Amino acid sequence: MEKLCSRMWNTMNSSSERAQRRLLLAGSLFVMLVLLVLGGFRVSTVEVDTMTYITAGDNFFAGRIDEARTPVYPVICHLAGYLGAASLHAVVLLQCVVFMLSVVWMHKTARLVFDHSPLVAFVSTALYAWNVGTVHYALVIMTESLSLSAVVFMFWLIVKGLKRSLSVRDAALLMTLYLVMLFLRPFFICFAPLLVVFYVFVFKKTSRGASVAFWGGIAVVIAAYVGYSSAYKAQYGVFTTSCVPDINLNAQLYQAGLVDTAMWKMDEFDLAAEHAHNREVLMAGKWVWLRHMLDETLMSSRQLFPKMVLSHGGKMAQPLSLQISGGMLYLITIVFAVVTWVRWRRNKADVRLDVLLLFTVAVTVVTSVWGAFGIYTRLMLPCYSALCLVLGRLFTLLGQLLARRKQL
């Protein structure tokens, strides 16, 4: 055992990316197998939500836009349905493969960010790759796992652009990825400003071809979003991509005592009528709603992040998960923001990546709490990889500070 631990420690400190990557992937696979055993090798679902993706797939393949879900994940579920009884296991297998690939790219990103500290790069990746709280989503029929992986791929392209340059290929890949993300989970609309800020940070060393690819991609994304929303309005009467935002707003109004019946409790509803009613009630009771949302923000600080949702073996897996409170996430973000500001003001340090990491965490938290209701820390999952990089940055800066003090 001592020899094994010694070998692992040496690998963690190794400059060999390949050796570190093998250990990271082995650890991820081990965590997955443990979760599968604890769950009896069954697929986990989330009540109500999981079935909406399956029925949405049926709607899309019948030529109808689904009222609640955008097409990417429902199409995956529907295509897997042709495998019969193995369909949901096929979706889980796909998510596991994509997650393992994201571990590779998370490590590539970390090695690029922490190029002088292989140990910090390894630990930052291990927090992502070995955490039961993130790995278990690969075993659940929900968009969370693919969303988590997509953000990792996005940050690989962003960090490459910052550290090297934004190539035509990477700009095209980034825009293609974002288009998929947007129709995987409408939540990612909040990442649009992140991409614009990223371009502002890199445009001085970006070629004309890469700029054309980037803004051409933005144009395609906007056209696809507007086109889909227009088609949605023609069918349901509201210019949007999903009824979920209205369900979430209505739930907030219901919890604030401003409406008598919540949309999510209704078997059927007229979206256009509910959309208009929600906004009428919101304008009339905006201060009551605001007070309620401030209370919800404080309440979210007590929830654990990342949230465990594994329906099979979840209770046994919970103690194995590395979780922090929402309040701790907010505190870490505030501390990192202050440190970033001080480094920029005093030392004129290059804080572009730090700003993008902060932006990712901030918009994810705000959108999750103020745009939804209930289990906020599950909705915050897309910022987890950014948090791992933030912790790595803080650890590196602390090490540098201690080293300077020793020299004095």
Side-chain angles (χ1 to χ4, degrees):
M1 185 65 179
E2 183 179 348
K3 188 175 181 180
L4 176 63
C5 291
S6 177
R7 288 180 61 186
M8 288 182 63
W9 177 251
N10 290 336
T11 301
M12 291 167 64
N13 283 281
S14 172
S15 59
S16 171
E17 291 189 34
R18 183 174 294 181
Q20 285 196 339
R21 209 162 289 153
R22 282 199 298 264
L23 179 57
L24 288 164
L25 289 172
S28 292
L29 183 59
F30 176 76
V31 174
M32 283 182 185
L33 290 174
V34 168
L35 291 172
L36 283 168
V37 170
L38 291 177
F41 291 90
R42 289 172 291 183
V43 170
S44 285
T45 58
V46 174
E47 188 178 0
V48 180
D49 285 352
T50 295
M51 281 307 302
T52 63
Y53 290 107
I54 296 172
T55 57
D58 297 336
N59 288 332
F60 283 116
F61 275 80
R64 300 188 303 273
I65 291 178
D66 188 74
E67 190 171 22
R69 301 302 180 186
T70 42
V72 171
Y73 199 70
V75 166
I76 292 172
C77 292
H78 188 87
L79 292 175
Y82 292 117
L83 298 175
S87 61
L88 297 186
H89 285 85
V91 176
V92 164
L93 178 60
L94 171 66
Q95 291 177 170
C96 288
V97 170
V98 174
F99 181 81
M100 296 292 275
L101 288 173
S102 75
V103 170
V104 172
W105 264 267
M106 179 70 179
H107 184 243
K108 285 176 176 286
T109 304
R111 289 291 298 231
L112 205 54
V113 174
F114 309 110
D115 52 345
H116 298 301
S117 181
L119 178 61
V120 175
F122 183 94
V123 173
S124 298
T125 307
L127 287 173
Y128 170 83
W130 294 358
N131 190 355
V132 172
T134 53
V135 176
H136 85 277
Y137 281 103
L139 311 179
V140 183
I141 305 299
M142 290 284 285
T143 60
E144 269 69 10
S145 182
L146 293 181
S147 298
L148 183 66
S149 299
V151 175
V152 171
F153 298 138
M154 173 177 281
F155 261 98
W156 161 244
L157 295 170
I158 285 175
V159 171
K160 271 184 71 181
L162 290 172
K163 294 287 186 176
R164 299 171 185 170
S165 64
L166 182 64
S167 67
V168 174
R169 176 177 172 273
D170 286 348
L173 283 173
L174 183 60
M175 288 299 100
T176 302
L177 174 64
Y178 184 62
L179 181 62
V180 173
M181 291 168 66
L182 197 56
F183 286 98
L184 171 70
R185 193 170 181 173
F187 160 89
F188 283 117
I189 191 68
C190 70
F191 275 38
L194 172 72
L195 295 175
V196 176
V197 173
F198 162 67
Y199 179 81
V200 170
F201 284 163
V202 300
F203 86 95
K204 285 186 178 180
K205 60 178 183 179
T206 299
S207 68
R208 181 177 296 180
S211 294
V212 170
F214 181 89
W215 290 108
I218 289 286
V220 170
V221 170
I222 292 172
Y225 188 84
V226 171
Y228 187 90
S229 297
S230 299
Y232 190 98
K233 183 177 181 179
Q235 189 166 328
Y236 296 107
V238 179
F239 186 84
T240 184
T241 59
S242 167
C243 67
V244 173
D246 269 293
I247 290 175
N248 288 338
L249 175 58
N250 180 265
Q252 294 171 358
L253 298 174
Y254 174 75
Q255 292 173 337
L258 294 171
V259 296
D260 297 327
T261 305
M263 285 173 65
W264 58 269
K265 293 184 178 183
M266 301 177 186
D267 293 330
E268 294 182 0
F269 54 79
D270 184 320
L271 179 58
E274 294 295 336
H275 177 83
H277 182 244
N278 283 342
R279 275 137 191 85
E280 181 182 340
V281 172
L282 177 62
M283 294 306 297
K286 56 182 176 293
W287 297 115
V288 175
W289 170 82
L290 180 61
R291 172 68 181 273
H292 167 73
M293 293 311 301
L294 291 173
D295 290 340
E296 288 294 292
T297 302
L298 293 175
M299 186 276 289
S300 71
S301 69
R302 300 195 295 270
Q303 296 181 355
L304 292 178
F305 174 79
K307 180 70 176 177
M308 288 282 294
V309 298
L310 200 64
S311 58
H312 299 121
K315 290 183 180 178
M316 290 179 283
Q318 178 83 35
L320 304 176
S321 179
L322 297 173
Q323 294 174 296
I324 59 175
S325 67
M328 182 58 68
L329 172 63
Y330 306 157
L331 180 60
I332 291 171
T333 306
I334 292 170
V335 168
F336 189 61
V338 172
V339 170
T340 300
W341 173 260
V342 171
R343 290 176 59 233
W344 179 68
R345 290 290 293 176
R346 289 186 179 179
N347 305 323
K348 301 301 179 184
D350 182 359
V351 296
R352 294 174 300 166
L353 176 59
D354 306 77
V355 170
L356 293 174
L357 291 173
L358 283 168
F359 193 99
T360 301
V361 176
V363 298
T364 300
V365 168
V366 172
T367 304
S368 298
V369 177
W370 288 75
F373 71 103
I375 306 174
Y376 301 114
T377 46
R378 173 170 68 83
L379 304 175
M380 295 176 192
L381 191 66
C383 78
Y384 184 74
S385 55
L387 174 64
C388 293
L389 294 175
V390 165
L391 292 173
R393 294 288 271 185
L394 285 173
F395 183 80
T396 301
L397 293 171
L398 179 61
Q400 292 173 352
L401 180 61
L402 292 175
R404 287 174 190 167
R405 289 198 171 186
K406 283 184 180 180
Q407 292 175 355
L408 296 176

